[in-house]
Amino acid sequence: MTINEIQDELIEEFAFFEDWMEKYEYIIQLGKELPLIDDKYKTEEYRIKGCQSQVWLRPDVEEGLVHFKADSDALITKGLVSLMVKVLTNHSPKEIAESELYFIDKIGLKEHLSPTRANGLLSMVKQMKLYAMALEARG
Amino acid sequence: MINDINKIREDFPILNQKVNNRPLIYLDNGATTQKPQSVINEITDYYTKINSNVHRGVHHLSQVATDAVEATRKKVQSFIHAKHEHEIIFTKGTTDSINLLAHSFGKAFVNREDEVIISQMEHHSNIVPWQLLCEEKGATLKVIPMTSSGELDMEAYAKLLTDKTKIVSVTYVSNALGTINPVKKMIDSAHAKDIPVFLDVAQAIQHIPIDVQELDVDFLAFSGHKMYGPTGIGVLYGKETLLNKMPPYQGGGDMIKEVKLEKSTFNDLPFKFEAGTPHIAGEAALGAAIDYLEALGLKEIQLYEDDLLAYANKSLKEIKGLKIYGTAAEKSSAISFLIEGLHPYDVGVILDKLGIAVRTGHHCAQPIMDYYEIPGTIRATFSFYNTKEEVDALVEGINRAVAMLK
């Protein structure tokens, strides 16, 4: 599936939630699931510092496709991190670099990507794209 | 008098709105307070009827604008019981005031190997300007340690005061914990060694009556926006004798007597420290905020808020796994807490969805969080327009967040 197909699928999925409670319960559930990154990678090297919560991001390339592993110390941020990873992982650097993330806005969670939130999420998305762009530039 | 809380709430139009389809419960007053209609009107009136530059025009409007600014200066003087009105310097806010002080006092009085004392519970804005000064001058920053209850260690403080100490710069009320520090005692012990004291009263001015002459404090600063006035306006108070010995901070209009290309001479207090066109509307509206506070009465406000804080303290303690950070005997209008196993950000997000505004994070006081080895706290800060019903809603909101997150 392309990045946009995955985004559209998520938008459709979120449309079933009747209120914010259901939506957040789902995100929290995503956050509670198994650790998304091995504890040994939760180091300074992979840390994206947010004012409110921390995010760790570990990119990797395999057979020309970029894989992301990421995590957060806050559950809601972690749930959102896992959505971002779901959308952006396992694609070519070109596709990631050129992608436009519209699903967060469409599922009504835009405020979590606001710079004033300082939860590390916006910086993570920037890092993911920068990583893909660097790979793309290297060819 | 605070007897009809609904009537008081009507003075604050913003409180009457819904957030996320729920009535707004605003418990982030430590970050900024809401504005009464009279303050909002003052700003509108200023730009509608008065707008003109101050201290330089002979024309009518310039005079009216100047009068409005100087009337507020008098109100501030009387509000904090300063001896002279020229001891009141308008700034952009507390941060700006402290930067002015650190820069100008530092230039005049702090030299290599001197010491500046702050405390572990300072807001970043009462840490960083002094760090910058100490780095520049080769001076040393000394820190009064904190105890686990969130109180300053007074024995350690007494030992830190030496003949190298040039100034003590501490907060009256901790923004992150709510601790009220024993500032009168601290000032007296510093003065016993001829050391001047600066008080950051950003979190005290709106809760506790302050008399600078009774405290005998040398410098003090606060922000308009935390005391029901507008943002972008603040005050630095300083004793005349000290201010006169300090060089200007910024150069520009209004702060000079005469400018020659070779050398300029500076204006008298307070204008020496007020370069450039000031925030005139903000200064006028700060006057309206002081009028509002004085009409209610700060002693009345203190009684009401202390009662509300005690109620919140008792109610929050009943929540299982909730731990309050900062358990000093004397506290003012703030409660910082965490819930076992939950990240403060998650709790803050759920509370926001319920229309409850609290602050989460380190509250610009990272050394406090480092002391407790926590990433941050959830902080509820109260005003006289908050009610016990709102505290109940906070408790209910926390319980709901716990149910969702555990």
Side-chain angles (χ1 to χ4, degrees):
Chain A
M1 282 208 290
T2 65
I3 287 179
N4 284 0
E5 280 166 358
I6 303 171
Q7 294 200 75
D8 294 340
E9 203 178 76
L10 279 172
I11 293 165
E12 216 172 294
E13 198 177 330
F14 269 81
F16 287 109
F17 297 130
E18 300 214 332
D19 58 12
W20 72 269
M21 282 271 287
E22 286 188 2
K23 195 154 68 182
Y24 275 81
E25 270 165 359
Y26 176 72
I27 294 164
I28 290 162
Q29 200 47 48
L30 284 175
K32 280 182 188 169
E33 282 166 12
L34 289 174
L36 302 167
I37 199 169
D38 202 315
D39 268 350
K40 71 176 178 209
Y41 295 118
K42 284 190 182 172
T43 58
E44 213 44 45
E45 191 187 348
Y46 299 108
R47 187 160 78 123
I48 295 167
K49 243 179 132 173
C51 197
Q52 298 273 350
S53 56
Q54 324 267 356
V55 170
W56 293 269
L57 173 73
R58 186 170 172 264
D60 204 1
V61 203
E62 217 175 288
E63 291 173 12
L65 297 180
V66 184
H67 295 265
F68 293 108
K69 292 221 156 132
D71 209 336
S72 173
D73 56 348
L75 271 181
I76 293 172
T77 310
K78 193 170 162 186
L80 294 164
V81 158
S82 85
L83 289 176
M84 295 291 183
V85 168
K86 196 170 175 176
V87 170
L88 289 180
T89 203
N90 207 23
H91 299 284
S92 69
K94 186 173 157 49
E95 199 187 344
I96 295 166
E98 287 171 2
S99 68
E100 198 194 316
L101 291 180
Y102 52 81
F103 81 103
I104 285 286
D105 193 0
K106 287 270 170 66
I107 62 180
L109 294 167
K110 195 172 91 180
E111 74 253 30
H112 292 280
L113 270 184
S114 141
T116 56
R117 272 288 161 126
N119 54 10
L121 209 58
L122 187 64
S123 310
M124 183 190 77
V125 175
K126 278 188 191 152
Q127 279 293 319
M128 288 167 132
K129 286 200 162 193
L130 279 174
Y131 183 77
M133 275 183 224
L135 278 177
E136 169 80 346
R138 228 188 293 160
Chain B
M1 289 289 285
I2 302 180
N3 41 28
D4 188 351
I5 196 76
N6 288 326
K7 204 161 167 295
I8 286 175
R9 289 179 68 87
E10 280 172 20
D11 293 336
F12 294 81
I14 207 169
L15 296 176
N16 192 28
Q17 68 174 303
K18 292 200 165 175
V19 167
N20 291 320
N21 289 321
R22 285 159 175 275
L24 166 68
I25 294 177
Y26 187 78
L27 301 176
D28 195 16
N29 296 287
T32 196
T33 53
Q34 300 304 344
K35 318 305 169 200
Q37 191 64 54
S38 59
V39 167
I40 300 166
N41 288 348
E42 192 68 34
I43 294 172
T44 316
D45 281 359
Y46 172 77
Y47 285 116
T48 315
K49 300 173 194 157
I50 302 175
N51 182 47
S52 200
N53 213 329
V54 289
H55 303 134
R56 15 173 116 44
V58 289
H59 60 81
H60 173 73
L61 286 185
S62 175
Q63 195 52 53
V64 178
T66 304
D67 289 349
V69 166
E70 295 312 315
T72 295
R73 203 185 302 276
K74 277 206 180 75
K75 282 177 191 174
V76 173
Q77 179 201 354
S78 119
F79 192 60
I80 63 171
H81 305 278
K83 198 168 176 188
H84 307 289
E85 64 181 271
H86 57 254
E87 292 176 320
I88 308 301
I89 296 157
F90 287 123
T91 64
K92 288 187 285 182
T94 310
T95 300
D96 191 35
S97 297
I98 302 176
N99 277 281
L100 188 167
L101 179 68
H103 182 96
S104 181
F105 179 89
K107 209 165 186 178
F109 297 110
V110 180
N111 295 302
R112 206 174 165 73
E113 290 179 12
D114 283 342
E115 293 175 359
V116 170
I117 297 179
I118 60 166
S119 88
Q120 174 136 30
M121 66 168 77
E122 299 310 315
H123 186 284
H124 294 166
S125 60
N126 195 27
I127 301 175
V128 185
W130 300 112
Q131 279 177 340
L132 292 172
L133 172 71
C134 288
E135 265 172 40
E136 188 193 317
K137 294 278 190 165
T140 310
L141 196 62
K142 294 278 178 180
V143 181
I144 311 163
M146 206 174 73
T147 64
S148 60
S149 60
E151 288 164 294
L152 293 181
D153 181 340
M154 285 299 120
E155 274 179 36
Y157 170 61
K159 284 182 197 147
L160 286 177
L161 295 166
T162 69
D163 48 9
K164 286 183 178 174
T165 313
K166 284 293 141 87
I167 190 166
V168 174
S169 182
V170 288
T171 190
Y172 195 154
V173 172
S174 155
N175 75 309
L177 304 174
T179 310
I180 302 175
N181 288 319
V183 291
K184 178 63 187 148
K185 273 190 203 155
M186 294 177 80
I187 292 166
D188 289 347
S189 5
H191 283 179
K193 297 194 170 176
D194 287 327
I195 303 163
V197 176
F198 162 78
L199 284 185
D200 169 356
V201 300
Q203 299 291 346
I205 190 84
Q206 67 283 54
H207 303 300
I208 302 169
I210 287 176
D211 183 326
V212 291
Q213 294 189 72
E214 198 183 293
L215 285 170
D216 198 22
V217 66
D218 303 277
F219 301 99
L220 155 159
F222 54 88
S223 302
H225 74 96
K226 290 189 201 290
M227 56 182 297
Y228 309 94
T231 55
I233 186 71
V235 166
L236 174 68
Y237 157 82
K239 282 183 184 163
E240 179 189 37
T241 45
L242 283 163
L243 289 176
N244 272 329
K245 288 180 192 156
M246 288 159 47
Y249 173 46
Q250 293 178 324
D254 232 16
M255 53 78 72
I256 41 85
K257 246 191 195 122
E258 197 180 34
V259 174
K260 300 275 183 208
L261 288 173
E262 300 75 36
K263 189 169 173 61
S264 303
T265 46
F266 303 121
N267 208 335
D268 298 325
L269 290 175
F271 308 112
K272 179 171 96 174
F273 291 108
E274 293 181 356
T277 296
H279 181 11
I280 308 169
E283 286 165 355
L286 177 63
I290 291 174
D291 288 344
Y292 189 89
L293 287 173
E294 289 200 317
L296 280 181
L298 220 56
K299 283 203 172 108
E300 285 281 326
I301 290 173
Q302 197 179 14
L303 278 176
Y304 180 88
E305 290 177 343
D306 283 353
D307 182 51
L308 193 63
L309 182 73
Y311 181 77
N313 201 45
K314 186 174 152 284
S315 311
L316 286 171
K317 270 189 188 159
E318 283 167 18
I319 297 172
K320 208 175 150 237
L322 186 142
K323 183 177 174 190
I324 291 172
Y325 289 85
T327 49
E330 300 287 328
K331 281 180 68 172
S332 174
S333 290
I335 301 188
S336 242
F337 59 93
L338 279 179
I339 296 144
E340 206 186 347
L342 299 188
H343 196 287
Y345 179 73
D346 292 326
V347 180
V349 169
I350 304 291
L351 290 176
D352 170 58
K353 286 284 154 197
L354 296 166
I356 303 169
V358 292
R359 174 119 180 234
T360 61
H362 54 57
H363 319 298
C364 295
Q366 279 180 2
I368 295 181
M369 305 305 144
D370 291 345
Y371 173 84
Y372 288 117
E373 297 179 339
I374 51 176
T377 67
I378 303 152
R379 183 190 73 173
T381 42
F382 306 98
S383 156
F384 53 75
Y385 48 58
N386 291 124
T387 63
K388 288 184 178 168
E389 288 74 28
E390 288 182 311
V391 172
D392 293 342
L394 171 68
V395 171
E396 204 181 304
I398 294 168
N399 283 328
R400 200 148 161 203
V402 171
M404 283 180 78
L405 293 161
K406 277 236 161 125

